[in-house]
Amino acid sequence: MAIRDEQNERIAATVITGFLGSGKTTLLNALLSHPGMSNTAVLINEFGEIGLDHLLVREISEDVVLLNSGCICCSVRGDLINGLRDLFLKRTRGEIAAFERVIIETTGLADPAPILHTLMTDPLLTNKFRLDSVVSTVDGIYGNKQLDDHAESVKQAAVADRILITKADLAAGDDLETLEKRLHSLNPAAPRYRVHLGDIAPDKLFNAGLYNPETKSLDVQKWLRDEAYGDDRDAGHNHSDEHEHEHHHEHSHDVNRHDDHISSFCLTFDEPLHWDAFVTWAEIFTQMRGENLLRIKGVLNIAGEDKPVAIHAVQHIFHAPATLPAWPSDDHRSKLVFITRDLGPDVIRQSLLQLNAAAIETQGQNTPKSN
């Protein structure tokens, strides 16, 4: 599934997020010490007056751009855009090295969603940069309490493509096992790694996006990872332990456990979906329940089209859909992977089916059915 050269040339962007003290800067310093990371630009946020983190990063990488004080995810989105644009212009003019990747580090209290929105919607950025991966660090010692007490910590893990459990060597075994299970329930498709002082091979964290730079092709199966959700033929009613856990969370919320509000599931549709029906569904849900749609990935079989369409959304923002060159396998079913808050699979599945049925009735076609 090779794609056009201009798409191949877009610069990979990785977002590193994680709660306060979970080891983001330690990870960043360790990553930048790898020889293969020499062509990396870094955007970090100045949080507080001292800015000690900046000194640590600056010693390793000269291509560092410091954003203004405040949260990178809310008050300085404009600075993020300007910082990335400035980096690219300096790269184009030869004023800095032709970096191949940019890493954006958030503050510990940050909601990563606005950063992802920016990377997905700003016209210049989408032409020059591509969102490659979201990496979340979770404290192996305090992670369970942070998931209990802080919604930001839950969201940082829920939207991640890769989850790193730090300080695992210092954590109690039972607490660590509980943390692993909670992270798996939150985000089944994200590989989890235990790390010590940020020591992990960079290739385990990157190339998580739809585009695979090694093969210069679109790797749909690696990106979607729908198999991580098990048998989705009756999503939301599967009786595995994992889905029982999710079903319980949906109906019995514990105010002291923020992750009890999160569900992860995959919906599969046997028959083609009508594009107008899907767009209508997306508009309704993003307007009314956008805050509850933490992340959506999907590959759609659109009625009347031979090629699949990839969709990606973070809360109320949908990335521009991409028509793929070909199906990755003989399985041509539509698959949608969701991570939601206080929003179960049934209402999503039924609303989409109803809109699709209306479109089919209008065009006199057969009604599709969900697995």
Side-chain angles (χ1 to χ4, degrees):
M1 299 174 65
I3 58 179
R4 298 189 306 271
D5 289 341
E6 60 264 31
Q7 291 180 321
N8 298 350
E9 293 172 357
R10 289 189 299 167
I11 299 165
T14 291
V15 176
I16 296 180
T17 187
F19 204 68
L20 293 169
S22 61
K24 295 184 300 297
T25 300
T26 300
L27 169 66
L28 185 56
N29 281 294
L31 286 175
L32 294 175
S33 69
H34 285 265
M37 296 291 292
S38 58
N39 294 329
T40 300
V42 180
L43 281 165
I44 59 178
N45 198 83
E46 188 175 78
F47 189 60
E49 297 180 359
I50 299 176
L52 181 61
D53 289 354
H54 304 174
L55 300 178
L56 297 174
V57 175
R58 188 185 295 274
E59 290 176 358
I60 297 173
S61 173
E62 294 182 357
D63 294 335
V64 176
V65 174
L66 304 183
L67 299 179
N68 292 340
S69 298
C71 175
I72 193 174
C73 289
C74 48
S75 62
V76 296
R77 277 187 65 187
D79 279 2
L80 173 61
I81 294 173
N82 292 336
L84 287 171
R85 288 179 173 178
D86 185 57
L87 272 177
F88 187 83
L89 288 175
K90 288 182 177 179
R91 178 182 184 268
T92 301
R93 293 193 295 258
E95 297 175 9
I96 60 176
F99 58 90
E100 299 173 353
R101 176 178 301 277
V102 61
I103 293 178
I104 303 165
E105 180 191 3
T106 75
T107 70
L109 296 175
D111 176 353
I115 284 184
L116 305 185
H117 295 168
T118 302
L119 291 170
M120 292 164 63
T121 59
D122 181 80
L124 185 143
L125 298 188
T126 56
N127 285 329
K128 305 303 181 183
F129 297 89
R130 56 179 175 82
L131 177 61
D132 177 70
S133 59
V134 180
V135 177
S136 179
T137 54
V138 179
D139 193 310
I141 301 175
Y142 302 110
N144 281 304
K145 181 170 177 52
Q146 290 168 352
L147 291 175
D148 288 345
D149 297 343
H150 301 283
E152 298 91 345
S153 177
V154 173
K155 193 168 183 180
Q156 288 162 356
V159 303
D161 297 299
R162 306 285 187 265
I163 297 175
L164 304 187
I165 301 175
T166 62
K167 311 174 191 175
D169 55 318
L170 303 176
D174 291 345
D175 290 343
L176 201 58
E177 183 177 352
T178 298
L179 181 60
E180 289 264 18
K181 290 180 179 179
R182 293 177 72 173
L183 293 172
H184 175 74
S185 179
L186 270 173
N187 192 344
R192 298 180 303 282
Y193 303 100
R194 298 183 184 184
V195 297
H196 176 64
L197 298 178
D199 184 18
I200 187 169
D203 59 7
K204 290 186 177 180
L205 305 184
F206 305 139
N207 301 340
L210 184 59
Y211 171 65
N212 186 335
E214 295 179 356
T215 61
K216 294 188 177 181
S217 64
L218 298 175
D219 194 338
V220 178
Q221 293 169 320
K222 181 180 177 182
W223 172 71
L224 192 60
R225 291 181 58 85
D226 59 284
E227 74 283 353
Y229 298 85
D231 187 352
D232 59 10
R233 285 178 294 179
D234 193 18
H237 298 283
N238 188 301
H239 294 289
S240 69
D241 290 342
E242 177 183 328
H243 284 270
E244 284 289 348
H245 182 63
E246 293 166 9
H247 185 73
H248 171 73
H249 285 179
E250 185 182 337
H251 296 287
S252 180
H253 295 164
D254 180 348
V255 294
N256 295 318
R257 283 176 56 106
H258 286 282
D259 54 324
D260 281 352
H261 296 254
I262 306 298
S263 295
S264 303
F265 49 89
C266 176
L267 298 181
T268 302
F269 299 88
D270 288 340
E271 301 299 330
L273 297 172
H274 283 257
W275 182 246
D276 289 345
F278 180 80
V279 170
T280 300
W281 173 88
E283 290 176 346
I284 292 172
F285 264 77
T286 53
Q287 289 178 13
M288 300 186 65
R289 303 296 297 272
E291 291 298 314
N292 302 92
L293 296 169
L294 300 187
R295 200 166 185 182
I296 306 171
K297 293 181 181 180
V299 177
L300 305 180
N301 184 343
I302 300 299
E305 300 292 334
D306 295 330
K307 298 177 181 179
V309 174
I311 61 98
H312 182 204
V314 177
Q315 292 189 319
H316 61 284
I317 300 295
F318 267 80
H319 193 282
T323 300
L324 308 182
W327 285 92
S329 70
D330 292 333
D331 186 354
H332 291 190
R333 296 176 298 171
S334 296
K335 295 182 179 181
L336 289 164
V337 170
F338 292 87
I339 298 178
T340 64
R341 180 175 54 213
D342 296 330
L343 187 60
D346 288 346
V347 64
I348 293 175
R349 179 178 55 243
Q350 293 305 320
S351 59
L352 183 52
L353 285 173
Q354 289 170 4
L355 288 168
N356 203 58
I360 289 171
E361 183 177 356
T362 299
Q363 300 187 24
Q365 299 182 14
N366 296 324
T367 303
K369 55 185 178 180
S370 170
N371 272 3

Coordinates of all heavy atoms in Angstrom, one line a residue, residues 43-87:
L43 N 9.9 20.2 21.4 CA 9.1 21.3 21.9 C 8.7 21.0 23.3 O 8.0 20.0 23.5 CB 7.8 21.5 21.1 CG 8.0 22.3 19.7 CD1 6.8 22.0 18.9 CD2 8.2 23.7 20.0
I44 N 9.1 21.8 24.3 CA 8.8 21.5 25.7 C 8.1 22.7 26.2 O 8.2 23.8 25.7 CB 10.0 21.1 26.5 CG1 11.0 22.2 26.5 CG2 10.6 19.8 26.0 CD1 12.2 21.9 27.4
N45 N 7.4 22.5 27.4 CA 6.6 23.6 27.9 C 7.3 24.1 29.2 O 7.7 23.3 30.0 CB 5.2 23.1 28.3 CG 4.3 24.2 28.5 OD1 3.7 24.8 27.5 ND2 4.0 24.6 29.7
E46 N 7.4 25.4 29.4 CA 8.0 26.0 30.6 C 6.9 26.0 31.6 O 5.9 26.7 31.5 CB 8.4 27.4 30.3 CG 9.2 28.0 31.5 CD 9.8 29.4 31.1 OE1 9.0 30.3 31.1 OE2 11.0 29.4 30.8
F47 N 7.1 25.2 32.7 CA 6.0 25.1 33.7 C 6.7 25.5 35.0 O 7.5 24.8 35.6 CB 5.5 23.7 33.8 CG 4.3 23.5 34.7 CD1 3.2 24.2 34.4 CD2 4.4 22.6 35.7 CE1 2.1 24.0 35.2 CE2 3.3 22.5 36.5 CZ 2.1 23.2 36.3
G48 N 6.4 26.7 35.5 CA 7.1 27.2 36.7 C 8.2 28.1 36.3 O 8.5 28.3 35.2
E49 N 8.8 28.8 37.3 CA 9.8 29.8 37.1 C 11.2 29.2 36.8 O 12.0 29.8 36.2 CB 9.9 30.8 38.2 CG 8.6 31.5 38.4 CD 8.6 32.5 39.6 OE1 9.7 32.5 40.3 OE2 7.6 33.2 39.9
I50 N 11.5 28.1 37.4 CA 12.9 27.6 37.3 C 13.2 26.9 36.0 O 14.2 27.2 35.3 CB 13.2 26.5 38.4 CG1 13.0 27.2 39.8 CG2 14.6 25.9 38.3 CD1 13.1 26.3 41.0
G51 N 12.3 26.1 35.5 CA 12.5 25.5 34.2 C 13.7 24.6 34.1 O 14.4 24.5 33.1
L52 N 13.9 23.8 35.2 CA 15.0 23.0 35.3 C 15.0 21.9 34.2 O 16.0 21.5 33.6 CB 15.1 22.3 36.6 CG 16.3 21.3 36.9 CD1 17.6 22.1 36.8 CD2 16.1 20.7 38.3
D53 N 13.8 21.4 33.8 CA 13.7 20.4 32.8 C 14.3 20.9 31.5 O 14.9 20.1 30.7 CB 12.2 20.1 32.5 CG 11.6 19.3 33.6 OD1 12.3 18.9 34.6 OD2 10.4 19.1 33.6
H54 N 14.2 22.2 31.2 CA 14.8 22.7 29.9 C 16.3 22.6 29.9 O 16.9 22.3 28.9 CB 14.4 24.2 29.8 CG 12.9 24.4 29.8 ND1 12.4 25.7 29.8 CD2 11.9 23.6 29.9 CE1 11.1 25.6 29.9 NE2 10.8 24.3 30.0
L55 N 16.9 22.8 31.0 CA 18.4 22.7 31.1 C 18.8 21.3 30.8 O 19.8 21.0 30.1 CB 18.9 23.1 32.5 CG 18.6 24.6 32.9 CD1 19.1 24.9 34.3 CD2 19.2 25.6 31.9
L56 N 18.1 20.3 31.3 CA 18.4 18.9 31.1 C 18.3 18.6 29.6 O 19.2 17.9 29.0 CB 17.5 18.0 31.9 CG 17.6 18.1 33.4 CD1 16.6 17.3 34.1 CD2 19.0 17.7 33.9
V57 N 17.2 19.0 29.0 CA 17.0 18.7 27.6 C 18.0 19.5 26.7 O 18.6 19.0 25.8 CB 15.6 19.1 27.2 CG1 15.4 18.9 25.7 CG2 14.6 18.2 27.9
R58 N 18.3 20.7 27.1 CA 19.2 21.6 26.2 C 20.6 21.0 26.2 O 21.3 21.1 25.2 CB 19.2 23.0 26.8 CG 20.0 23.9 25.9 CD 20.1 25.3 26.5 NE 18.8 25.9 26.7 CZ 18.2 26.7 25.7 NH1 18.8 26.8 24.6 NH2 17.0 27.2 26.0
E59 N 21.0 20.3 27.2 CA 22.4 19.8 27.2 C 22.6 18.7 26.2 O 23.6 18.4 25.7 CB 22.7 19.2 28.6 CG 22.9 20.2 29.7 CD 23.1 19.6 31.1 OE1 23.0 18.4 31.1 OE2 23.3 20.3 32.0
I60 N 21.4 18.1 25.8 CA 21.5 16.9 24.9 C 21.2 17.4 23.5 O 21.7 16.9 22.5 CB 20.5 15.8 25.3 CG1 21.0 15.3 26.7 CG2 20.5 14.7 24.4 CD1 20.0 14.4 27.3
S61 N 20.2 18.3 23.3 CA 19.7 18.6 22.0 C 19.7 20.1 21.8 O 19.2 20.9 22.7 CB 18.3 18.1 21.7 OG 17.8 18.6 20.5
E62 N 20.4 20.6 20.8 CA 20.4 22.1 20.5 C 19.1 22.5 19.8 O 18.8 23.7 19.9 CB 21.6 22.4 19.7 CG 23.0 22.2 20.4 CD 24.1 22.5 19.5 OE1 23.9 23.0 18.3 OE2 25.3 22.4 19.9
D63 N 18.4 21.6 19.2 CA 17.2 22.0 18.5 C 16.0 22.0 19.4 O 15.1 21.2 19.3 CB 17.0 21.1 17.3 CG 18.1 21.2 16.2 OD1 18.7 22.3 16.2 OD2 18.3 20.3 15.5
V64 N 16.1 22.8 20.4 CA 15.0 22.9 21.4 C 14.3 24.3 21.3 O 14.9 25.3 21.2 CB 15.6 22.8 22.8 CG1 14.5 22.9 23.9 CG2 16.2 21.4 23.0
V65 N 13.0 24.2 21.3 CA 12.2 25.4 21.2 C 11.4 25.4 22.5 O 10.6 24.5 22.8 CB 11.2 25.5 20.0 CG1 10.3 26.7 20.1 CG2 12.1 25.5 18.7
L66 N 11.5 26.5 23.3 CA 10.8 26.6 24.6 C 9.5 27.4 24.3 O 9.5 28.5 23.8 CB 11.6 27.3 25.6 CG 13.0 26.7 25.9 CD1 13.7 27.5 27.0 CD2 12.9 25.2 26.2
L67 N 8.4 26.8 24.8 CA 7.1 27.5 24.7 C 6.9 28.4 25.9 O 7.6 28.2 26.9 CB 5.9 26.5 24.6 CG 6.0 25.5 23.4 CD1 4.8 24.6 23.5 CD2 5.9 26.3 22.1
N68 N 6.0 29.3 25.8 CA 5.8 30.2 26.9 C 5.3 29.5 28.2 O 4.8 28.4 28.1 CB 4.8 31.4 26.5 CG 5.4 32.3 25.5 OD1 6.6 32.3 25.3 ND2 4.6 33.0 24.7
S69 N 5.3 30.2 29.3 CA 4.8 29.7 30.5 C 3.3 29.4 30.4 O 2.6 30.0 29.7 CB 5.0 30.7 31.7 OG 6.3 30.9 31.9
G70 N 2.9 28.4 31.1 CA 1.5 28.0 31.1 C 1.3 26.6 30.4 O 2.3 26.0 30.0
C71 N 0.1 26.1 30.4 CA -0.2 24.8 29.9 C -0.2 24.7 28.4 O -0.9 25.5 27.7 CB -1.5 24.3 30.4 SG -2.0 22.7 29.8
I72 N 0.6 23.9 27.9 CA 0.8 23.8 26.4 C -0.6 23.4 25.8 O -0.8 23.6 24.6 CB 1.8 22.7 26.0 CG1 2.2 22.8 24.6 CG2 1.4 21.3 26.4 CD1 3.4 22.0 24.2
C73 N -1.4 22.8 26.5 CA -2.7 22.2 26.0 C -3.9 23.1 26.0 O -4.9 22.8 25.6 CB -3.0 20.9 26.7 SG -1.9 19.6 26.3
C74 N -3.7 24.3 26.6 CA -4.9 25.2 26.6 C -4.5 26.6 26.3 O -4.9 27.1 25.3 CB -5.6 25.1 28.0 SG -4.6 25.2 29.4
S75 N -3.6 27.2 27.1 CA -3.4 28.7 27.0 C -2.4 29.0 25.9 O -2.3 30.1 25.4 CB -2.9 29.3 28.3 OG -1.7 28.7 28.6
V76 N -1.6 28.0 25.4 CA -0.6 28.4 24.4 C -0.6 27.5 23.2 O 0.4 27.2 22.6 CB 0.8 28.3 25.1 CG1 1.0 29.3 26.2 CG2 1.1 26.9 25.6
R77 N -1.8 27.2 22.7 CA -1.9 26.4 21.5 C -1.4 27.2 20.3 O -0.8 26.7 19.4 CB -3.4 26.1 21.2 CG -3.9 24.8 21.9 CD -5.2 24.4 21.5 NE -5.3 24.0 20.1 CZ -6.4 23.7 19.4 NH1 -7.6 23.8 20.0 NH2 -6.4 23.4 18.2
G78 N -1.6 28.6 20.4 CA -1.0 29.4 19.4 C 0.5 29.3 19.4 O 1.2 29.3 18.3
D79 N 1.1 29.2 20.5 CA 2.6 29.1 20.6 C 3.0 27.7 20.0 O 4.1 27.6 19.4 CB 3.1 29.2 22.1 CG 3.2 30.6 22.5 OD1 2.8 31.5 21.7 OD2 3.6 30.9 23.7
L80 N 2.2 26.7 20.2 CA 2.6 25.4 19.7 C 2.6 25.5 18.1 O 3.5 25.0 17.5 CB 1.5 24.4 20.1 CG 1.6 23.0 19.5 CD1 3.0 22.3 19.8 CD2 0.5 22.1 19.9
I81 N 1.6 26.1 17.6 CA 1.5 26.3 16.1 C 2.7 27.1 15.6 O 3.4 26.7 14.7 CB 0.2 26.9 15.7 CG1 -1.0 26.0 16.0 CG2 0.2 27.3 14.2 CD1 -2.3 26.6 15.8
N82 N 2.9 28.2 16.3 CA 4.0 29.1 15.9 C 5.4 28.4 16.1 O 6.3 28.6 15.3 CB 4.0 30.4 16.7 CG 2.8 31.3 16.4 OD1 2.3 31.2 15.3 ND2 2.4 32.1 17.3
G83 N 5.5 27.6 17.2 CA 6.8 26.9 17.4 C 7.1 25.9 16.3 O 8.2 25.8 15.8
L84 N 6.1 25.1 15.9 CA 6.2 24.1 14.9 C 6.5 24.8 13.5 O 7.3 24.3 12.7 CB 5.0 23.2 14.8 CG 4.9 22.2 15.9 CD1 3.5 21.5 15.9 CD2 6.0 21.2 15.9
R85 N 5.8 25.9 13.2 CA 6.0 26.6 12.0 C 7.4 27.2 11.9 O 8.1 27.1 10.9 CB 5.0 27.7 11.8 CG 3.5 27.2 11.5 CD 2.6 28.4 11.4 NE 1.3 27.9 10.9 CZ 0.2 28.7 10.8 NH1 0.4 30.0 11.1 NH2 -0.9 28.3 10.4
D86 N 7.8 27.7 13.1 CA 9.2 28.3 13.1 C 10.3 27.3 12.9 O 11.2 27.5 12.2 CB 9.4 29.0 14.4 CG 10.7 29.8 14.5 OD1 10.9 30.6 13.7 OD2 11.5 29.5 15.4
L87 N 10.1 26.1 13.5 CA 11.0 25.0 13.4 C 11.1 24.6 11.9 O 12.2 24.4 11.4 CB 10.6 23.8 14.2 CG 11.0 23.7 15.6 CD1 10.4 22.5 16.3 CD2 12.5 23.6 15.7

